[in-house]
Amino acid sequence: MPGSVRTRMTPVAEDASVTQLELFFDLVIVFAFTMVTDFAAHDATGVNLLRALLILAMLWWAWIGYSWLGNVIKADEGIARVAMFAAMGAVFIIALTIPEAFRDLPGGWYGPLVFVIAYLIVRLTHLAVFWMASAHDAQLRRQVIRWAAGSLSVASVLLVAGATTTGAAQLGLWLAALVWDMGWTFFAGNEWRLYSPSHFAERYGLIVIIALGESIVSIGVGVAGLPISWSITVGSMLGLGVAGLLWWAYFDVAALVVERAMHHAGGERRIQIARNCYTFWHFPMIAGIVSMALGLKKVLNYVGGAQGHSLSDQLHGIPLFALYGGVVAYLVALVGFRHYATGKVLVPRLVTAVVLLALIPLASALPALAALGILCAVLLALIVFEVVRYAQPRDLIRHGLN
């Protein structure tokens, strides 16, 4: 039928915006992020935190593929729409299987294998649609073949092998699959297509917002069913303040600067900025937010008096490291994000990251609410300093010419 290929595959325009279907897809992904937070909170040990971060990285790596695909063809048209819904279903199964990813529960299907099969369905669906989208673009087709030949082929074997084992062997095989997948993607070439820098930047900005929203949900979950009190009110406002300050650190200037740098770049440089600044540097941001959400959930749990805790209890161990370390990872990732695109190093943010690491011993000796208060105060000091110190360039970036 004439025109059927165009009907199935609609190219993305340069001025495109994120579609409603992409937002829908992202909400399912963030539900999976929430399940990762719950998984880590259920057993707050170093090994389990590593498992949680590994699952998060796998989810991220599945999501980024669709962020690139949605910048080549419209996600809500033709076969792409069907693929998005199929991927959403698989992601939902992944989320439901997260509690069993490393330890199968009695009854039902074998959890780790179901997790891997659902993950591979997400990845293979993405590959199939990208293959069809590159039918009339020889350069893109070469890139897809090169990437898939080295990435999915090896990673799939390692993931399935890991699902059939347990303990350290499973963790090691899955970690090797992820490292191989990320490494191969980095070295597999720069012949991808990026038709709309604004769409691409918007997509990543929205996932940051949604992840920050998930951290706010964690505040509510931490005090769900508890009677309102001054400590819950103060703790909730401090947690909301931390999330808001992290939003400011990303969207006030950094997101604008990097988006413009990507827009003005051409050829391989644009692809490199998209890959390194967004695909890679955004992962520690998301991991930092999810880790922080774990810490916030524990703090509110403490200040609310749940599970026998009292207002004087200290936050220590993995929850404290997740709270402070998550913010540190976020700040460092923001520095790398902007540096790769512009060459500028945000020294105040690196200093703040070092200060927060140095404050962890002090925070562990104070009540959990005080530890959260210190974190909020340090972030507030950073934002106020940047607004005052860089007032003129900030104004030019936000309100001047592009």
Side-chain angles (χ1 to χ4, degrees):
M1 180 177 178
S4 61
V5 173
R6 288 193 296 275
T7 302
R8 291 203 313 269
M9 296 285 183
T10 305
V12 170
E14 186 175 355
D15 60 349
S17 297
V18 173
T19 66
Q20 299 299 316
L21 184 55
E22 286 173 306
L23 282 173
F24 192 11
F25 182 82
D26 293 353
L27 289 174
V28 178
I29 285 285
V30 173
F31 168 66
F33 290 174
T34 303
M35 294 295 289
V36 172
T37 302
D38 291 343
F39 176 80
H42 182 72
D43 180 18
T45 63
V47 172
N48 203 54
L49 181 60
L50 178 59
R51 290 171 178 161
L53 290 175
L54 176 57
I55 293 172
L56 180 66
M58 292 171 68
L59 287 167
W60 175 256
W61 212 243
W63 179 85
I64 62 100
Y66 288 86
S67 71
W68 285 85
L69 178 62
N71 207 267
V72 175
I73 57 172
K74 292 188 67 175
D76 58 351
E77 295 287 347
I79 193 68
R81 176 184 291 194
V82 176
M84 290 289 284
F85 277 110
M88 268 191 272
V91 169
F92 200 71
I93 296 300
I94 291 172
L96 296 178
T97 317
I98 285 174
E100 296 186 75
F102 287 92
R103 186 179 294 112
D104 182 51
L105 299 178
W109 291 338
Y110 184 66
L113 191 57
V114 173
F115 178 91
V116 168
I117 291 172
Y119 177 76
L120 291 177
I121 288 173
V122 177
R123 298 293 305 279
L124 291 172
T125 300
H126 161 260
L127 175 60
V129 179
F130 231 134
W131 174 268
M132 288 187 283
S134 65
H136 303 293
D137 186 336
Q139 177 178 312
L140 182 59
R141 175 60 62 87
R142 287 196 306 270
Q143 179 67 69
V144 170
I145 292 173
R146 185 164 56 245
W147 170 74
S151 178
L152 276 177
S153 57
V154 175
S156 299
V157 172
L158 292 172
L159 288 170
V160 172
T164 63
T165 62
T166 58
Q170 180 187 3
L171 183 62
L173 285 168
W174 283 10
L175 184 60
L178 181 67
V179 171
W180 174 268
D181 212 350
M182 289 185 169
W184 184 267
T185 300
F186 185 82
F187 293 108
N190 301 310
E191 294 186 312
W192 297 104
R193 293 288 185 248
L194 193 72
Y195 293 147
S196 176
S198 59
H199 171 274
F200 197 77
E202 182 186 6
R203 188 80 191 277
Y204 281 78
L206 287 171
I207 200 70
V208 170
I209 290 177
I210 297 173
L212 286 170
E214 188 271 336
S215 72
I216 295 171
V217 170
S218 295
I219 297 173
V221 170
V223 295
L226 300 176
I228 193 68
S229 64
W230 75 266
S231 59
I232 288 178
T233 302
V234 172
S236 298
M237 292 300 98
L238 288 173
L240 182 60
V242 168
L245 291 165
L246 295 186
W247 175 92
W248 188 302
Y250 182 92
F251 289 99
D252 186 57
V253 171
L256 298 173
V257 169
V258 176
E259 179 182 347
R260 289 172 189 174
M262 180 169 61
H263 181 80
H264 292 143
E268 288 194 5
R269 177 60 180 166
R270 175 179 287 186
I271 300 301
Q272 289 168 346
I273 291 175
R275 183 191 62 203
N276 296 348
C277 293
Y278 290 91
T279 295
F280 283 101
W281 274 118
H282 269 65
F283 174 65
M285 291 184 210
I286 299 300
I289 292 170
V290 171
S291 297
M292 180 195 70
L294 168 61
L296 287 176
K297 183 177 182 179
K298 290 292 186 180
V299 170
L300 271 296
N301 200 257
Y302 279 30
V303 302
Q307 300 176 347
H309 291 295
S310 69
L311 193 57
S312 61
D313 285 352
Q314 296 93 1
L315 190 69
H316 51 79
I318 294 299
L320 178 61
F321 175 78
L323 180 64
Y324 274 64
V327 173
V328 168
Y330 184 89
L331 292 175
V332 172
L334 277 174
V335 173
F337 170 63
R338 187 163 174 183
H339 174 262
Y340 187 84
T342 67
K344 181 178 178 60
V345 176
L346 300 176
V347 175
R349 298 188 176 192
L350 290 178
V351 171
T352 302
V354 172
V355 168
L356 287 175
L357 289 175
L359 286 172
I360 290 178
L362 172 63
S364 67
L366 297 174
L369 187 60
L372 178 57
I374 290 173
L375 175 62
C376 188
V378 171
L379 286 174
L380 180 60
L382 168 66
I383 297 303
V384 170
F385 173 82
E386 289 186 338
V387 168
V388 174
R389 175 67 177 80
Y390 306 114
Q392 184 175 359
R394 174 179 177 270
D395 186 62
L396 286 174
I397 291 168
R398 291 183 56 79
H399 308 113
L401 297 175
N402 288 353

